[in-house]
Amino acid sequence: MERSRVVEVWAPSPDRHRVGTGYLISSRLVLTAHHAVADTPAQQQVRVRLLDPTGGTTWMAAERVWPAGPVNLTVHPEQDGALLRIVDPAWRPPGGEPVRFGRIAGEARVPCLGLGFPDAATDRARPRRRDTLAVRGHVDPLHALKSGMVTVHVDTGIVPRRAAGGGSHWSGASGTAVFCGSLLVAVLATDRKIGDTANVLDAVPVTTLLALPGFRRVLDEEGVRCFAEDVPAPMSSEEAAEPAFSPLAMAPVSRAHRARTAAAAGAAAVLAALVVLLGLLARQPEAVRLPAAAAAGTLAAWAVVRVRRPRWPGAARAAARQALAETVRQEAGERRRQLLGRDTVAINVTFTTLPDTGRGPRSAPPAGDFEGIARYFAALRPQRLVVTGGPGAGKTLLANELAHRLLAQERSEGPVPVPAGLAGWDTATPFADWFAALLAREYLGGSETAARDLLAFGRVLPVLDGLDEMDEAGTGRRHAAAALAQFNEFTGPLVLTCREEDYTALGRDGERLLDCATVRIDAVGAPDRRHYLHQRAHDRSRLAGLDAELSEPDTALGATLGSPWMLTLASITSQSEEGARVLRSFIGVPACEAQVRRLRDVLLARLVPTLCRPDPGHGAQPYPDAEAVTRWLRLFAAHLHGGPAGRDLAVHRLWPVAGPRAARYAAAALTLVCWLPAFVLLALCLRQRGGFPFPGTLLLLLLVPAPLVAAWGARARAIQPRRVLHQRLRSALGWQRIGLGALLGCVLMPPLVPLFGAGYAGAAATAFALVFGFGLALSVRADIDRRFLVAGGLPVALGPTVAAGRLAGPLGDVIGVIAGCGGGALALAVGVPLGLWAARRADGGAPDPDPPGAPTPLAPLRGDAAAGLVAGVIVTGIALYATLSVPWLRVGWPLAVPTSLACGLAAGPGFVADVTRQYAGVVLATRGRLPWNVVGFLRWCHRIGLLRSAGTVYQFRHEDLLAWLRERERV
């Protein structure tokens, strides 16, 4: 209840003036009791004034607009309600949020509050001046069920005594708005005469008034929402006894986690034992050293296992939850602004709870809306929710708003809502493992133990967006069905969004989320449309004439502006005088298909120019030219990955934007450019040492295959982004691959020993094992066929290693190191594509599920560049050592440093980072057609709301925008 909206009502009548109370439910509409204004002559106006403690408010003229005729309150006391419209020209409405109506459901008593002007508060010195008196008590829904009224029991504060002659000191409080929390539930009518008490009052439920003829029509005309939501019932004793946190039914600790723990414990045990044997107790007798080493190893292993247990003490868990809440709160607030188009005003969409077909919730309100989503979710038992709706209905916005409002609650100790997109999850990975990895990576500094602990103890509420986006169009719903099967293994809170048609189709196949409430977002009603446009308008005069159109479905404006997406476009368009004039030109236009389509095109055409205007919150716009931005977006839309029906805009697959060949062949040319300085500077070094024609010519010839292989790989149509996954070093898979590299090095060494000696063979095998093993462990996807990997990679490595030893082996073991490194790189370059090809033939070879280091659309490019940088740094170090230490290559610092850097450039960006080179090829091939900083442009489009992110790809904000851009590009 807002005190500034409480109204005194003065109504002239033939016998005496009546005084009542009212409540301002819109900018000029007052709700009061009918009997307080029933006897006012038609030619006279009612007077109202807002509550003002200083007494400076003047009386304003008002007229009764409902009911139009007389009401027999003796027969129908439940119709004792009236609506007044303030018509005084001097009226200036106060601000505030729209009023929200409520209904009392259940049987429990609910606290209530009202504020009126009863006779008991009359000033004896000034009889015409009445003060306020609070109606503070509770509503008992089981009291007087037959009357159809709401019974208010006044149990706190001063209870007026009944006046002599049967009168009531409550007179004058008629029309007082009764609030339960923030919901207006009833209007006081009269007191109930029960014995000598005067603390039981009758009130008319607003739900009864909403059902009466004409009441809704008047509210619609004034932009008041005709929607009543359930008043949250007080928590029962059984519910109060439930724990504050509901533990999630977690799957057991995964094998991968156990393997990592075992590997870490083993490594710690060996290290501790070696420290004791060779360091601390090196001079002690063996009888002392061995038991001490065994004890130290056991203690170290126990400590590692203890640390990695997925259970934290309560204090640490609370601290982790608080840190998680603060991080998510900031992210949800920024995402909310982005979803609202760089604004803070949202459309108050409503939703309806769909009927259960089995295994539904124990309790769920029948409906809700955007502003009350947190209360709706709190009333669910259990707290599991599926949000459905059509394209652009506002599913993502509603889910994010739930997270935002739950986090904004003061002293909230409930589960922390964590939004996540489902597009990047491969259901082959258990949900608990995937979500724990996401929590650890993005919010908890990489601590998967803390993430699993918070999940296991119910401190996290997953808010999962885009169940329908897990499968590409036309490929079935295999991943979505598998995801629902895993979600049903959990008993904790969960929020899920999905398009209505996809969720309905899954339901027909027997796949649905159990024990949850399913809601469908409704079309935006006329009152909410008007309220949203007026609240967001920079100049409300520009909206003149549009209010009536929004209520007419037969007009182009009324038929088009029924979804949050189109309303947002209309609001953006109306922010300029030119756009508002274009909107007003559609007033009275009938809702035929051609006109609706033309209006959509107009709204979409105004989107980019409006968003390109300067934003005070972010300074000057980097791309103020709207025509250029539109042209660039059309180019992207016309060449999206997946053909005309595709939606994914992946930064690491942008080459079609430049044409079928231009970017790929530009990337191949860039590869050769990266290698050219290395060849030139190495030739200078060899010439300075007199290395020509031998061994310089042979060394350069040995290096020639590397740029050719890299150039061929850079022109490929589909490139797997490389990334450095440091987490693999703690996993069983990573150590298995390192072990595979060591095994292949051992296999490679025996044939080299009799040919070139143990020194060359050992150097080549060690270098090969390090490059191949760590490269495979840190940068290659998990799903790969090892047989084809080894069969294709080992012969390729053996060939150049033998050739290098035959031709340049006498130059020393450093040739073995160079040959081993080159052989390992070539083995990866040839064997990995063969292994992926074989895995795909067996219905595998898919990218890692939401791989660490690739949670955003820009992460694949960053990961690929990082892998190239790491490789470049390693090769730079090796080259610097060679140019300063190897006799036949040794040169001074001025030449050694640039030569080493050139070798690093060739090996890193020129060999490893294929995606980076192909992206650079896109930039070069689209010069003049796209901005130089393509990544910066896409990031800016995402920030202002033209694009959205889905896993490792961008998508256009709405399919209407994508279709419009493609259509305009064809034109």
Side-chain angles (χ1 to χ4, degrees), residues 21-107:
T21 305
Y23 193 82
L24 192 67
I25 61 174
S26 75
S27 61
R28 56 175 184 165
L29 205 62
V30 175
L31 177 63
T32 186
H34 179 269
H35 73 265
V37 296
D39 298 335
T40 303
Q43 66 274 16
Q44 296 190 22
Q45 291 180 324
V46 180
R47 298 287 178 176
V48 298
R49 68 176 177 184
L50 291 174
L51 171 61
D52 184 4
T54 62
T57 305
T58 58
W59 290 94
M60 297 287 176
E63 61 181 7
R64 191 179 71 188
V65 294
W66 184 88
V71 177
N72 189 345
L73 297 179
T74 303
V75 179
H76 301 288
E78 73 281 0
Q79 298 183 13
D80 194 1
L83 293 173
L84 307 177
R85 181 187 290 125
I86 301 175
V87 295
D88 198 300
W91 168 248
R92 296 293 181 269
E97 294 296 323
V99 69
R100 302 173 62 82
F101 298 134
R103 68 167 65 87
I104 299 176
E107 301 176 353

Side-chain angles (χ1 to χ4, degrees), residues 727-742:
Q727 295 86 349
R728 285 269 182 85
L729 295 180
R730 299 179 298 180
S731 68
L733 176 63
W735 286 105
Q736 288 172 7
R737 290 187 168 185
I738 294 173
L740 178 62

Side-chain angles (χ1 to χ4, degrees), residues 338 649 938 941-942 945-949 954-957:
Q338 182 190 59
L649 184 62
L938 294 176
C941 290
H942 180 254
L946 287 170
L947 298 178
R948 62 175 183 171
S949 61
Y954 285 122
Q955 293 179 346
F956 281 90
R957 180 174 175 179

Side-chain angles (χ1 to χ4, degrees), residues 346-670:
I347 303 171
N348 193 23
V349 295
T350 61
F351 53 86
T352 304
T353 304
L354 299 179
D356 298 326
T357 58
R359 289 298 299 272
R362 296 193 300 272
S363 64
D369 65 350
F370 184 85
E371 296 179 0
I373 180 62
R375 289 190 296 271
Y376 180 94
F377 188 75
L380 293 179
R381 296 292 183 275
Q383 291 185 326
R384 293 162 65 86
L385 176 65
V386 177
V387 180
T388 67
K395 302 180 294 295
T396 302
L397 182 60
L398 186 64
N400 189 80
E401 186 68 13
L402 172 61
H404 176 74
R405 290 182 180 256
L406 289 177
L407 290 167
Q409 293 176 351
E410 295 183 3
R411 298 183 299 275
S412 174
E413 295 296 334
V416 178
V418 178
L422 288 172
W425 174 38
D426 187 341
T427 51
T429 301
F431 170 70
D433 291 349
W434 170 75
F435 200 76
L438 182 144
L439 278 178
R441 180 181 65 247
E442 298 189 12
Y443 301 105
L444 297 174
S447 177
E448 189 172 340
T449 302
R452 293 187 65 88
D453 178 81
L454 292 175
L455 273 172
F457 281 86
R459 264 55 168 186
V460 176
L461 164 63
V463 181
L464 308 175
D465 183 34
L467 180 68
D468 53 288
E469 297 176 359
M470 297 186 69
D471 300 277
E472 295 184 4
T475 60
R477 301 178 178 87
R478 178 173 60 90
H479 289 98
L484 288 173
Q486 294 198 41
F487 295 153
N488 286 327
E489 297 178 2
F490 292 87
T491 59
L494 187 70
V495 178
L496 184 65
T497 72
C498 183
R499 287 193 179 183
E500 183 180 9
E501 58 180 354
D502 291 274
Y503 196 72
T504 302
L506 286 166
R508 287 195 296 265
D509 296 335
E511 304 291 345
R512 54 162 297 188
L513 187 64
L514 303 179
D515 305 320
C516 74
T518 304
V519 301
R520 179 183 60 228
I521 296 179
D522 305 322
V524 184
D528 288 326
R529 299 185 203 181
R530 291 194 294 266
H531 179 73
Y532 171 74
L533 292 178
H534 281 279
Q535 287 292 105
R536 188 163 169 166
H538 293 183
D539 185 353
R540 295 182 182 179
S541 63
R542 296 172 180 168
L543 303 176
L546 295 180
D547 288 355
E549 293 287 306
L550 298 178
S551 303
E552 299 295 336
D554 295 333
T555 64
L557 287 168
T560 304
L561 305 184
S563 68
W565 164 243
M566 298 310 299
L567 270 174
T568 301
L569 292 181
S571 173
I572 292 174
T573 301
S574 66
Q575 291 178 10
S576 66
E577 182 58 39
E578 179 185 357
R581 185 166 54 251
V582 172
L583 273 179
R584 292 194 297 269
S585 68
F586 283 88
I587 294 177
V589 175
C592 62
E593 182 178 354
Q595 294 296 338
V596 170
R597 185 178 183 83
R598 187 168 71 91
L599 176 57
R600 285 175 177 266
D601 289 344
V602 168
L603 295 178
L604 290 166
R606 298 294 308 174
L607 176 63
V608 174
T610 304
L611 294 181
C612 287
R613 295 185 306 176
D615 183 5
H618 294 84
Q621 286 282 26
Y623 305 100
D625 189 350
E627 292 185 3
V629 171
T630 304
R631 185 171 64 253
W632 298 335
L633 291 176
R634 288 172 182 167
L635 185 60
F636 283 122
H639 300 89
L640 276 182
H641 175 68
R647 296 183 299 170
D648 295 345
L649 184 62
V651 176
H652 55 287
R653 294 195 297 268
L654 284 179
W655 61 265
V657 176
R661 297 182 182 86
R664 296 188 292 121
Y665 284 95
L670 283 173

